Amino acid sequence: MIKVLTIIGARPQIIKAAAISRAIKNKFVDKIKEIIVHTGQHYDKNMSEVFFEELGIPRPDYNLNVGSGKHGKQTAKMIEGIEELLLKEKPNYIILYGDTNSTLAGAVAASKLNIPIVHIEAGLRSFNRKMPEEVNRVVCDHLSTLLFSPTVTGYKNLMNEGLNEMNKSPFTPEQPGYFHCGDIMYDNSLYFSELAKNKSKILEDNGLISKEYILSTIHRDHNTDIYDNLRSIFNALIEISKTNKIILPLHPRTKKVLEQMKHKELFERIKENNILLIPPVSFLDMISLEKNALMVITDSGGVQKEAYFFKNPCIILRPETEWVEIVDTGNAFLCGADYNEILNAFNFIINSGAGDYPKIFGDGKAAEFILKTLINNCPEAVL
Ligand code: UD1
Ligand code: UDP
């Protein structure tokens, strides 16, 4: 039996973990035992708990309850907690998702104990080291033993950073194995899309009509914490809302910023306009909002990609993206926080026909591929 210890912490990681946990349960229950560790990076009910209930993810075996804080303090607390659990559980692998501080903490703790790191969503790059997530990804990738890239670009980025495609098993941190396997979030979106159809009532609850509203999310520190960027984005949304209703599930970071005195006037104007601010929603509700939207306006990594999965155009509120393919296909537009660029992209989308959405995120079976690879390459496993 192989023992894997999975680290989750932030909302998108909890959702991602559903794909791997489901594949273990359905296909590899006799070969893989999963221990789930929640760092507690996200802790509000609608940022964490709601996903376990809805997506059938096993309850975490441990919760480090680290909570919010500055990068150093938050990450340090996580490293300390994860180290203790790795020593206690002695897993064959640690599984890390994406690029959050929980990912970085898991990578640092495991690498010092020589526990092989499996990085899911490896190779993604924004080439912007001012993004905390870029630092986290680069560090995690270069400490990993098995790296799984969701896209061809991610795979090529790893080659460009010197990883050798010819490495052979047994893989090690010095000679890692890396694979292009498709996106586990594509697995999840296919799987949960059917459930969302039957279970989500979010459109009815908010008086929304399919294809007559725009979905928006905002939470990047670059947009929330830079005064001019936040104002410019919301002023563009206010302008757009004069012709199209916008629904915006508000990330707690953004809510806290908007409630500050310096943004009081802006917050009032947002509420007076056709912008529906609602608390963060469950994943099934989010899928339903994404599928039925006229377009998506977001700075989220996950949401821009899900817009693509559901064949919806997207305005990306960032100057660059790790998911370059969706921009290359002409379905997503990089606008940063620039008022004019956002409005230009909006008008362009409104005036153009439906785009082509080639399949670039795999076949919906990325999780299965990853688990098979773990089983086939586990040096100390007693199968
Ligand atoms: C984190 C990740 C980011 C990811 C995002 C997903 C890092 C560096 N960033 O950003 O990559 O895209 O999660 O949503 O790891 N807060 C609450 N309740 C919660 C969680 C957060 O109120 O349950 C508030 C706190 O004020 C906190 C702030 O949101 O300080 C930011 O939370 P944090 O986890 O530090 O960063 P995110 O912006 O959520
Ligand atoms: N999401 C959700 N409810 C929300 C907002 C987002 O379930 O109110 C989901 C979304 O569908 C995607 C993931 O959360 O799967 C993205 O998380 P987020 O935008 O917080 O982080 P990022 O992907 O940018 O790291």
Side-chain angles (χ1 to χ4, degrees):
M1 193 69 135
I2 295 177
K3 192 195 257 191
V4 301
L5 188 142
T6 298
I7 302 288
I8 54 176
R11 167 170 68 190
Q13 296 171 321
I14 302 169
I15 301 172
K16 284 166 200 170
I20 291 288
S21 297
R22 188 171 64 248
I24 293 176
K25 185 168 154 224
N26 292 343
K27 304 244 169 175
F28 304 104
V29 78
D30 54 335
K31 292 201 165 55
I32 300 179
K33 177 176 165 53
E34 185 183 33
I35 308 284
I36 298 183
V37 177
H38 193 324
T39 62
Q41 177 170 353
H42 286 175
Y43 43 84
D44 289 349
K45 188 166 192 293
N46 56 20
M47 293 295 286
S48 175
E49 176 74 15
V50 63
F51 302 109
F52 292 94
E53 283 165 14
E54 182 182 58
L55 308 183
I57 309 161
R59 296 277 146 185
D61 297 273
Y62 302 95
N63 193 324
L64 300 175
N65 292 312
V66 160
S68 306
K70 289 189 191 137
H71 285 273
K73 196 167 177 187
Q74 185 186 50
T75 312
K77 279 194 198 165
M78 291 176 188
I79 294 174
E80 196 180 353
I82 295 170
E83 182 176 60
E84 289 307 318
L85 292 176
L86 289 173
L87 288 167
K88 179 175 169 203
E89 293 289 348
K90 300 183 179 50
N92 299 86
Y93 292 109
I94 187 169
I95 296 185
L96 302 173
Y97 294 101
D99 53 22
T100 72
N101 286 347
S102 299
T103 317
L104 175 67
V108 173
S111 64
K112 297 287 177 79
L113 295 171
N114 297 320
I115 291 171
I117 297 169
V118 176
H119 190 202
I120 298 180
E121 266 192 12
L124 299 178
R125 295 289 179 268
S126 64
F127 301 103
N128 173 3
R129 291 274 171 106
K130 289 198 182 110
M131 262 186 106
E133 291 83 359
E134 182 77 351
V135 177
N136 295 344
R137 315 182 171 110
V138 170
V139 173
C140 184
D141 278 342
H142 286 269
L143 295 176
S144 293
T145 292
L146 293 177
L147 298 91
F148 294 96
S149 293
T151 57
V152 174
T153 307
Y155 186 79
K156 285 185 182 158
N157 287 339
L158 293 173
M159 276 198 272
N160 292 339
E161 288 177 20
L163 271 75
N164 189 344
E165 210 178 5
M166 306 307 283
N167 287 346
K168 294 265 178 295
S169 185
F171 298 115
T172 63
E174 293 77 21
Q175 291 204 57
Y178 64 114
F179 307 87
H180 167 226
C181 65
D183 188 355
I184 52 165
M185 278 310 295
Y186 185 56
D187 299 13
N188 267 340
S189 293
L190 290 181
Y191 183 81
F192 290 115
S193 166
E194 279 308 302
L195 279 178
K197 228 187 275 174
N198 301 324
K199 289 205 173 158
S200 174
K201 299 275 174 287
I202 189 90
L203 267 63
E204 293 93 312
D205 290 349
N206 289 284
L208 299 173
I209 298 170
S210 184
K211 300 297 163 191
E212 290 191 7
Y213 68 89
I214 292 168
L215 170 67
S216 182
T217 74
I218 298 157
H219 75 275
R220 291 276 152 222
D221 59 354
H222 188 69
N223 288 333
T224 59
D225 299 2
I226 298 180
Y227 183 84
D228 287 344
N229 286 355
L230 191 76
R231 292 189 76 78
S232 169
I233 288 171
F234 273 106
N235 281 329
L237 292 183
I238 288 170
E239 187 57 30
I240 290 170
S241 77
K242 292 182 179 152
T243 50
N244 294 79
K245 185 170 193 159
I246 298 177
I247 184 160
L248 198 159
L250 203 54
H251 191 285
R253 171 193 278 277
T254 318
K255 182 167 185 285
K256 281 184 185 153
V257 173
L258 280 174
E259 283 167 351
Q260 290 169 7
M261 263 322 277
K262 63 180 175 187
H263 291 304
K264 192 168 186 293
E265 176 270 339
L266 175 69
F267 201 15
E268 288 307 318
R269 273 196 299 122
I270 295 168
K271 288 192 270 188
E272 280 159 17
N273 278 277
N274 206 9
I275 301 179
L276 193 54
L277 298 177
I278 58 169
V281 298
S282 76
F283 187 55
L284 295 187
D285 283 345
M286 194 62 183
I287 287 184
S288 185
L289 287 173
E290 288 167 342
K291 270 170 105 170
N292 289 290
L294 178 64
M295 74 178 79
V296 174
I297 304 181
T298 188
D299 60 10
S300 158
V303 176
Q304 59 182 268
K305 209 171 23 148
E306 287 158 18
Y308 186 92
F309 296 162
F310 298 121
K311 300 188 172 32
N312 255 330
C314 182
I315 295 176
I316 302 175
L317 301 170
R318 287 182 45 200
E320 77 284 300
T321 179
E322 305 76 44
W323 305 101
V324 286
E325 288 86 349
I326 67 173
V327 176
D328 293 345
T329 61
N331 295 298
F333 303 85
L334 289 169
C335 297
D338 189 294
Y339 178 88
N340 289 323
E341 288 201 26
I342 296 168
L343 290 184
N344 287 344
F346 167 76
N347 287 322
F348 180 84
I349 293 170
I350 288 287
N351 293 316
S352 39
D356 265 347
Y357 291 80
K359 268 185 133 189
I360 45 184
F361 292 101
D363 58 3
K365 293 187 178 146
E368 205 175 312
F369 176 89
I370 291 170
L371 293 172
K372 276 188 192 152
T373 311
L374 260 59
I375 293 168
N376 293 337
N377 291 285
C378 186
E380 290 161 37
V382 186
L383 292 175

